[in-house]
């Protein structure tokens, strides 16, 4: 029986080679991929480059005891693709920066790569470069993704106006419930067989197609992803657009399995779902004159649940309406606290 | 007297705000900077995007006891700009990914920013986005930089042919001597007043202008930077180009202060300089028909020492010639080992 080798046994170059072997053949617009001082790609004509970066740090964004390596890689890529989707951009290339503890097993590096490359490949995203280094502490997976969008098709947070409808994709709070559930169970979940909430947390599906369509067809005035939760997303759009938000509590889509989990903890399902992060869903606003375009988008993504949850107002603040009463919604948490 | 606040006291949003305040006004080709899901820039026509990422990890690439925060920021940016210079690209934008220990002092975050932004601004590079997160272990500063270059002006590692001259910018081994010197002194150096070797280690000057000129004028066949040392650079060019390398030991430029430091440790100055990393100098090859173009480049960068150190051969391997004898040169170190 051979023990799996650790990264300190094989060296940096072997890890880079292991990454290179896993990358599918590059499309023609990748002029130069991994292996030189930098990667070179050919941007399309009349398009804008959209750039984002997001890091997953062990002990902050995941716990190695509970999170299978394939999910660590998947989530790191998903966070970046979701940011590009929220801008209406089509993802094109990614760079991977890995900081690995010396005692980290090489098969786990391979599983991280499998997770992130499977998701990237599914969305036509090419890994073109990166950096591998040792970490004196936690595992860190940092991805930078670059996408493209035509001019005036960019979706920002600042375009919402009073009267716009507020829509959300998928269900809210599912990932928060899944995180709670699989931590409570205290073991590494089997991602293929576990329930929908655990899968939503470990293998979230970024809304790449929906975001690209909303941008291309100009069917939304503002857009953000729900990585920091619905409450945070509503606050961000309200602040950036200089508007207020009225949300109907009864309209917020919460999956029954997630509601059940919050219920067993004595928590209000919808209010918990509002504050929970890690859902890579899109929150966006649709103006009156965009409604027919948005109806066309809905027909194209008929496998994605889309729910109208409220309306943009001119009164500042984020408000939740339920059975006649109105209450202010607090902002989300911050990672340092 | 007020104690400097730590990052866990102020929260993630305050750190992002602190970054935003320090960034100079964006040029017009930055469509959207910090504050949305992603940044948006307008690439120039008929140009290629060149992408690179490089991370600095506490305990691996620097020691907080010895390295002033301003130098941590400077070096992280320098490593990325140097990679773009080695491709012949003009740097345009950067993204910053920070993983901060909870107890890390906010004034040190500000000093890191000052260091990286001063260097970026000097080279016309705009910080357009990034990510701030907590680290459960070391401080990590990860930068992704994007530059542009016209088609067929890209400098790779693979273009060298037998007969080409091998050139290097600046002096070799200076940063390695500076690192040794300032660690031996056991205190934080004063970067303004300390010697040339310490400055070369803490505040290296990436060869942005030289790299851009070599690319634009097609005055080099291959190029790499010396971040992993001269020996490593020679091996990389030899392997990527499928050629061999003959280097003249007596031609390798070593600063007297660096040679003196290696001498006091009982080390051979030139052989130590060959293996030392962290010099952000350029190593490049010039073919016979490029010589007049290269002479024109030399006149434009007459403040940079440029030295011919050898010749590309058809015989595989990296060889060092000294007083009639020839010896093989070993490759550089790897970070995991």
């Amino acid at each position: 029986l051979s023990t799996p080798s650790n990264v300190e046994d094989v060296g940096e170059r072997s890890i880079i080679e292991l990454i290179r072997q896993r990358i599918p053949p590059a499309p023609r617009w990748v002029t130069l991929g991994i292996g030189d001082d930098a990667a070179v790609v050919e941007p399309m004509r009349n398009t804008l480059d959209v750039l984002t970066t997001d890091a997953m740090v062990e002990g902050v964004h995941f716990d190695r005891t509970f999170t299978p390596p394939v999910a660590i890689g998947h989530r790191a890529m998903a966070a970046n693709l979701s940011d590009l989707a929220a801008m209406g951009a089509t993802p094109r290339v990614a760079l991977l920066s890995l900081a690995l503890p010396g005692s980290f097993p090489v098969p786990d590096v391979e599983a991280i790569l499998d997770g992130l490359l499977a998701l990237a490949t599914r969305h036509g995203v090419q890994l073109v470069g990166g950096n591998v280094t040792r970490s004196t502490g936690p595992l860190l997976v940092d991805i930078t993704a670059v996408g493209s969008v035509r001019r005036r098709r960019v979706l920002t947070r600042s375009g919402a106006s009073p009267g716009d409808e507020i829509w959300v994709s998928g269900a809210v709070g599912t990932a928060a419930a899944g995180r709670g559930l699989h931590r409570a169970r205290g073991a590494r979940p089997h991602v293929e067989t576990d329930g929908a909430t655990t899968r939503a947390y470990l293998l979230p599906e970024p809304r790449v197609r929906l975001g690209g369509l909303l941008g291309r067809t100009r069917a939304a005035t503002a857009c953000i992803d729900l990585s920091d939760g619905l409450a945070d997303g509503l606050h961000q759009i309200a602040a950036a657009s200089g508007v207020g938000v009225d949300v109907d509590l009864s309209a917020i889509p919460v999956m029954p399995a997630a509601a059940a989990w919050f219920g067993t903890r004595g928590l209000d399902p919808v209010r918990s779902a509002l504050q929970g992060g890690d859902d890579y869903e899109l929150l966006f606003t649709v103006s009156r004159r965009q409604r027919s375009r948005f109806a066309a988008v809905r027909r194209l993504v008929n496998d994605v649940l889309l729910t109208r949850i409220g309306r943009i107002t001119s009164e500042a603040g984020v408000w939740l309406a339920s059975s006649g009463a109105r209450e202010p919604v607090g902002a989300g948490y911050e990672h340092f606290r």
Side-chain angles (χ1 to χ4, degrees), chain A:
Chain A
L1 273 168
S2 76
T3 319
S5 54
N6 290 327
V7 293
E8 62 196 350
D9 305 326
V10 302
E12 188 179 329
R13 296 262 155 81
S14 303
I15 300 292
I16 294 170
E17 194 46 42
L18 182 152
I19 294 171
R20 196 206 293 257
Q21 284 165 6
R22 275 172 169 69
I23 298 175
R28 275 204 341 197
W29 47 265
V30 174
T31 308
L32 198 62
I34 289 180
D36 216 297
D37 297 279
V40 181
V41 300
E42 168 114 55
M44 290 176 296
R45 291 226 172 158
N46 298 318
T47 58
L48 306 175
D49 275 352
V50 184
L51 313 157
T52 189
T53 185
D54 222 324
M56 294 273 163
V57 184
E58 179 184 351
V60 178
H61 303 93
F62 62 90
D63 186 321
R64 266 207 271 153
T65 326
F66 302 114
T67 315
V70 70
I72 297 172
H74 178 104
R75 291 182 67 219
M77 184 58 76
N80 281 277
L81 300 191
S82 181
D83 276 335
L84 294 182
M87 304 298 292
T90 301
R92 306 266 287 169
V93 295
L95 293 105
L96 168 66
S97 188
L98 277 178
L100 301 168
S103 63
F104 195 75
V106 174
D108 286 2
V109 178
E110 300 179 296
I112 290 173
L113 289 168
D114 290 342
L116 71 86
L117 285 172
L119 184 61
T121 303
R122 202 136 46 76
H123 292 291
V125 175
Q126 190 72 16
L127 187 70
V128 291
N131 189 61
V132 176
T133 184
R134 192 161 61 83
S135 168
T136 51
L139 166 67
L140 188 139
V141 183
D142 197 1
I143 293 179
T144 296
V146 183
S148 52
V149 65
R150 290 194 172 268
R151 249 191 276 198
R152 285 184 285 277
R153 309 283 160 123
V154 183
L155 295 175
T156 68
R157 300 174 182 181
S158 60
S161 297
D164 290 0
E165 294 175 349
I166 304 172
W167 288 77
V168 71
S169 69
V172 177
T174 324
R179 186 179 58 228
L181 187 70
H182 97 85
R183 284 197 179 168
R185 288 197 357 186
R188 269 201 190 185
H190 296 274
V191 289
E192 289 85 8
T193 58
D194 272 29
T197 60
T198 306
R199 264 206 312 283
Y201 172 60
L202 295 174
L203 302 174
E205 205 43 64
R207 299 302 186 185
V208 173
R209 183 138 187 271
L210 173 63
L213 279 168
L214 290 174
R216 271 201 296 286
T217 62
R218 301 197 218 186
T221 50
C223 188
I224 189 173
D225 79 349
L226 295 193
S227 50
D228 289 333
L230 177 57
D232 176 80
L234 293 166
H235 274 280
Q236 297 285 342
I237 285 183
S241 300
V243 295
V245 161
D246 257 6
V247 172
D248 176 8
L249 184 134
S250 67
I252 295 173
V254 181
M255 200 179 263
W261 164 256
F262 291 124
T264 62
R265 315 301 279 187
L267 298 166
D268 177 78
V270 180
R271 285 177 182 81
S272 303
L274 255 168
Q275 298 296 337
D278 293 329
D279 289 317
Y280 292 102
E281 298 295 347
L282 296 181
L283 173 71
F284 53 96
T285 53
V286 177
S287 70
R288 178 173 291 274
R289 64 185 195 86
Q290 289 173 325
R291 283 186 201 166
S292 61
R293 285 182 227 161
F294 177 54
V297 169
R298 291 186 71 178
R299 284 190 293 274
L300 290 170
V301 290
N302 57 11
D303 56 328
V304 179
L305 174 71
L306 293 169
T307 311
R308 180 154 68 91
I309 60 167
R311 187 171 291 276
I312 298 292
T313 66
S314 54
E315 181 195 5
V318 176
W319 299 88
L320 194 64
S322 74
S323 40
R326 279 175 96 221
E327 56 178 290
V329 178
Y333 67 97
E334 294 200 29
H335 293 292
F336 286 134
R337 289 172 173 171

